[in-house]
Amino acid sequence: MAELKNRLQAVLQQIHDAETAAGRPAKSVQLLAVSKTWPAAKLRELAQAGQQHFGENYLQEALAKIEALADLTLTWHFIGPIQSNKTRDIAAHFDWVHSVDRLKIAKRFSEQRPADLPPLNICLQVNIDDEDSKSGASPEDLMQLADDVKQLANLKLRGLMVIPKATDDTAAQHDAFQRSFILYQSLQQQLPDIDTLSMGMSGDLTAAVANGSTMVRIGSALFGRRHTQASG
Ligand SMILES: *Cc1c(COP(=O)(O)O)cnc(C)c1O
């Protein structure tokens, strides 16, 4: 217990230091705890230490944890690749989806969002480094996609999510995050309600906050290294 709590404190401190260094207000960056592959008991420990937002990549694994932790009022974010046949369960059980990259999927979410729930919060995933291996809309298609998603009744478009090419080179990290922030700002001009830039992971949190991230998605720095790869 103590160890996980200490890691949470350390990550929150790192976020705070990065905010200060960037001249940004305290608490302008939210922490999303990425809990894929970790059992529900670990998430419960972190929730008891005050963590509210959890991110999951694999639907079956996530649904089991959401059920196991139903006595807590947590906020669940789906951040993994989305297959069409999974949209109904995602729409019914999550509060946010960060990985929407095409209109077809967004339309399904809007149609399938249960009527008794508030609109599903949506971030559009952008393939900022134009990598073949990665999902995400291209920066050129983003504005049109955002306009179309904005029309869908049961969704609330919140912003963008980016996963830049993995690198330890700080200059390259800043470059990709800077390009993401410019896109985010132009989207905000078109749609002033937009308030979320989901970027930064354990290895590049500080660079992401320096370049305007509003939500960092942190897995290994909180939970430790992942050994297994779940699926579904
Ligand atoms: C796994 C994952 C993370 C967390 O990565 P860490 O390097 O463990 O912090 C963040 N975002 C997405 C989309 C992920 O799949």
Side-chain angles (χ1 to χ4, degrees), residues 34 36 57 79 161 163 200-203 217-221 226:
V34 176
K36 60 179 174 227
N57 296 57
I79 64 173
M161 190 270 262
I163 312 173
M201 315 202 312
S202 296
R217 307 179 310 270
I218 306 298
S220 45
R226 292 178 291 273

Side-chain angles (χ1 to χ4, degrees), residues 100-119:
V100 172
D101 63 0
R102 53 201 193 276
L103 185 58
K104 179 186 153 200
I105 292 289
K107 281 182 173 160
R108 291 176 68 94
F109 281 140
S110 186
E111 283 158 14
Q112 295 170 345
R113 182 68 167 169
D116 60 328
L117 295 180

Side-chain angles (χ1 to χ4, degrees), residues 1-227:
M1 170 85 187
E3 198 190 351
L4 197 52
K5 204 171 170 173
N6 291 346
R7 286 201 182 125
L8 175 63
Q9 286 314 319
V11 169
L12 290 172
Q13 185 64 49
Q14 197 185 342
I15 292 172
H16 182 77
D17 291 346
E19 286 168 339
T20 306
R24 300 181 55 190
K27 305 231 153 68
S28 47
V29 179
Q30 266 190 339
L31 172 59
L32 177 59
V34 176
S35 42
K36 60 179 174 227
T37 78
W38 298 102
K42 288 256 183 216
L43 282 67
R44 184 177 291 279
E45 280 182 33
L46 209 56
Q48 281 162 352
Q51 179 61 28
Q52 170 71 33
H53 294 268
F54 289 86
E56 290 281 341
N57 296 57
Y58 310 110
L59 182 62
Q60 296 316 320
E61 181 198 331
L63 292 177
K65 288 185 233 180
I66 291 171
E67 196 182 329
L69 301 171
D71 57 310
L72 306 172
T73 45
L74 303 178
T75 307
W76 294 98
H77 299 239
F78 191 83
I79 64 173
I82 302 162
Q83 292 154 337
S84 303
N85 63 347
K86 304 281 173 72
T87 53
R88 186 174 298 279
D89 277 334
I90 295 173
H93 296 283
F94 283 80
D95 304 292
W96 286 68
V97 182
H98 290 225
S99 39
V100 172
D101 63 0
R102 53 201 193 276
L103 185 58
K104 179 186 153 200
I105 292 289
K107 281 182 173 160
R108 291 176 68 94
F109 281 140
S110 186
E111 283 158 14
Q112 295 170 345
R113 182 68 167 169
D116 60 328
L117 295 180
L120 183 61
N121 294 291
I122 299 290
C123 290
L124 301 176
Q125 183 175 351
V126 185
N127 191 353
I128 195 69
D129 287 321
D130 196 20
E131 292 172 274
D132 290 342
S133 60
K134 260 189 204 135
S135 33
S138 72
E140 297 74 43
D141 295 340
L142 180 68
M143 297 300 160
Q144 185 62 53
L145 178 61
D147 271 336
D148 292 340
V149 169
K150 184 76 186 163
Q151 309 304 320
L152 299 172
N154 300 318
L155 306 183
K156 184 168 169 56
L157 182 61
R158 298 297 295 264
L160 301 183
M161 190 270 262
V162 297
I163 312 173
K165 202 184 282 185
T167 173
D168 293 333
D169 175 7
T170 311
Q173 291 176 358
H174 279 275
D175 175 71
F177 288 146
Q178 216 165 12
R179 282 182 282 117
S180 305
F181 186 62
I182 289 168
L183 262 186
Y184 174 66
Q185 282 183 311
S186 47
L187 191 64
Q188 254 182 342
Q189 279 183 349
Q190 181 176 315
L191 304 167
D193 295 350
I194 298 281
D195 61 4
T196 302
L197 179 55
S198 166
M199 69 180 190
M201 315 202 312
S202 296
D204 54 18
L205 178 170
T206 298
V209 172
N211 289 286
S213 169
T214 69
M215 196 182 289
V216 290
R217 307 179 310 270
I218 306 298
S220 45
L222 282 173
F223 292 101
R225 286 181 70 140
R226 292 178 291 273
H227 297 292

